[in-house]
Short mmCIF file of all heavy atoms in Angstrom, two decimals:
data_model
loop_
_atom_site.label_atom_id
_atom_site.label_comp_id
_atom_site.label_asym_id
_atom_site.label_seq_id
_atom_site.Cartn_x
_atom_site.Cartn_y
_atom_site.Cartn_z
N THR A 50 -13.81 -4.21 -5.28
CA THR A 50 -14.07 -5.53 -4.66
C THR A 50 -15.04 -5.37 -3.46
O THR A 50 -15.63 -6.36 -3.01
CB THR A 50 -12.77 -6.24 -4.16
OG1 THR A 50 -12.08 -5.35 -3.29
CG2 THR A 50 -11.87 -6.58 -5.36
N ILE A 51 -15.14 -4.19 -2.89
CA ILE A 51 -16.17 -3.89 -1.97
C ILE A 51 -16.98 -2.69 -2.57
O ILE A 51 -16.45 -1.92 -3.35
CB ILE A 51 -15.68 -3.57 -0.55
CG1 ILE A 51 -14.60 -2.48 -0.56
CG2 ILE A 51 -15.16 -4.82 0.12
CD1 ILE A 51 -14.22 -2.03 0.85
N PHE A 112 -8.47 -12.32 2.15
CA PHE A 112 -9.81 -12.64 1.65
C PHE A 112 -10.67 -13.11 2.84
O PHE A 112 -11.80 -12.73 3.02
CB PHE A 112 -9.77 -13.66 0.54
CG PHE A 112 -11.17 -14.25 0.25
CD1 PHE A 112 -12.13 -13.41 -0.36
CD2 PHE A 112 -11.52 -15.50 0.70
CE1 PHE A 112 -13.41 -13.89 -0.56
CE2 PHE A 112 -12.80 -15.98 0.48
CZ PHE A 112 -13.73 -15.19 -0.14
N LYS A 115 -11.50 -10.16 5.05
CA LYS A 115 -12.40 -9.19 4.46
C LYS A 115 -13.79 -9.75 4.12
O LYS A 115 -14.83 -9.06 4.27
CB LYS A 115 -11.77 -8.64 3.16
CG LYS A 115 -10.58 -7.74 3.43
CD LYS A 115 -10.09 -6.99 2.24
CE LYS A 115 -9.06 -5.94 2.67
NZ LYS A 115 -8.76 -5.01 1.63
N SER A 116 -13.87 -11.00 3.75
CA SER A 116 -15.13 -11.63 3.47
C SER A 116 -15.92 -11.84 4.72
O SER A 116 -17.14 -11.72 4.73
CB SER A 116 -15.00 -12.91 2.61
OG SER A 116 -14.27 -13.82 3.37
N ALA A 117 -15.19 -12.14 5.81
CA ALA A 117 -15.89 -12.32 7.09
C ALA A 117 -16.56 -10.99 7.48
O ALA A 117 -17.66 -10.98 8.01
CB ALA A 117 -14.90 -12.77 8.19
N GLN A 119 -17.57 -8.63 5.37
CA GLN A 119 -18.68 -8.34 4.47
C GLN A 119 -19.89 -9.17 4.73
O GLN A 119 -20.98 -8.83 4.39
CB GLN A 119 -18.20 -8.62 3.00
CG GLN A 119 -17.19 -7.63 2.44
CD GLN A 119 -17.90 -6.35 2.05
OE1 GLN A 119 -18.78 -6.35 1.18
NE2 GLN A 119 -17.50 -5.27 2.67
N GLY A 120 -19.64 -10.37 5.27
CA GLY A 120 -20.72 -11.35 5.40
C GLY A 120 -20.69 -12.30 4.18
O GLY A 120 -20.52 -11.78 3.06
N ALA A 121 -20.82 -13.60 4.46
CA ALA A 121 -20.64 -14.59 3.39
C ALA A 121 -21.45 -14.34 2.15
O ALA A 121 -21.00 -14.55 1.01
CB ALA A 121 -20.90 -15.95 3.94
N ASP A 122 -22.70 -13.85 2.31
CA ASP A 122 -23.59 -13.66 1.19
C ASP A 122 -23.25 -12.45 0.31
O ASP A 122 -23.54 -12.31 -0.81
CB ASP A 122 -25.01 -13.54 1.62
CG ASP A 122 -25.52 -14.85 2.31
OD1 ASP A 122 -24.90 -15.90 2.05
OD2 ASP A 122 -26.45 -14.75 3.07
N ARG A 123 -22.57 -11.49 0.98
CA ARG A 123 -22.30 -10.25 0.29
C ARG A 123 -20.87 -10.19 -0.35
O ARG A 123 -20.64 -9.40 -1.20
CB ARG A 123 -22.44 -9.09 1.26
CG ARG A 123 -23.88 -8.89 1.81
CD ARG A 123 -24.38 -7.46 1.55
NE ARG A 123 -23.39 -6.49 1.94
CZ ARG A 123 -23.37 -5.88 3.14
NH1 ARG A 123 -24.30 -6.18 4.03
NH2 ARG A 123 -22.46 -5.03 3.49
N ALA A 124 -19.97 -11.04 0.13
CA ALA A 124 -18.63 -11.02 -0.45
C ALA A 124 -18.70 -11.44 -1.91
O ALA A 124 -19.35 -12.37 -2.26
CB ALA A 124 -17.73 -12.00 0.38
N THR A 125 -17.97 -10.75 -2.75
CA THR A 125 -18.04 -11.00 -4.18
C THR A 125 -16.93 -11.95 -4.61
O THR A 125 -15.90 -12.14 -3.95
CB THR A 125 -17.94 -9.70 -5.03
OG1 THR A 125 -16.62 -9.19 -4.78
CG2 THR A 125 -18.97 -8.70 -4.63
N VAL A 126 -17.14 -12.47 -5.88
CA VAL A 126 -16.10 -13.27 -6.49
C VAL A 126 -14.82 -12.39 -6.75
O VAL A 126 -13.70 -12.83 -6.65
CB VAL A 126 -16.58 -13.86 -7.82
CG1 VAL A 126 -15.45 -14.63 -8.54
CG2 VAL A 126 -17.75 -14.79 -7.52
N GLY A 127 -15.06 -11.10 -7.01
CA GLY A 127 -13.96 -10.16 -7.17
C GLY A 127 -13.08 -10.04 -5.94
O GLY A 127 -11.87 -10.03 -6.06
N LEU A 128 -13.70 -10.06 -4.77
CA LEU A 128 -12.96 -10.05 -3.54
C LEU A 128 -12.10 -11.33 -3.39
O LEU A 128 -11.03 -11.26 -2.92
CB LEU A 128 -13.85 -9.84 -2.32
CG LEU A 128 -13.22 -9.66 -1.01
CD1 LEU A 128 -12.40 -8.39 -0.93
CD2 LEU A 128 -14.24 -9.63 0.17
N PHE A 129 -12.72 -12.38 -3.83
CA PHE A 129 -12.03 -13.71 -3.77
C PHE A 129 -10.81 -13.74 -4.64
O PHE A 129 -9.77 -14.24 -4.28
CB PHE A 129 -13.00 -14.80 -4.16
CG PHE A 129 -12.44 -16.21 -4.05
CD1 PHE A 129 -11.99 -16.70 -2.87
CD2 PHE A 129 -12.31 -16.97 -5.21
CE1 PHE A 129 -11.44 -18.00 -2.78
CE2 PHE A 129 -11.76 -18.26 -5.13
CZ PHE A 129 -11.35 -18.79 -3.96
#
Side-chain angles (χ1 to χ4, degrees):
T50 55
I51 53 172
F112 167 72
K115 290 189 169 191
S116 59
Q119 289 282 300
D122 296 339
R123 297 234 313 264
T125 63
V126 176
L128 185 64
F129 182 62

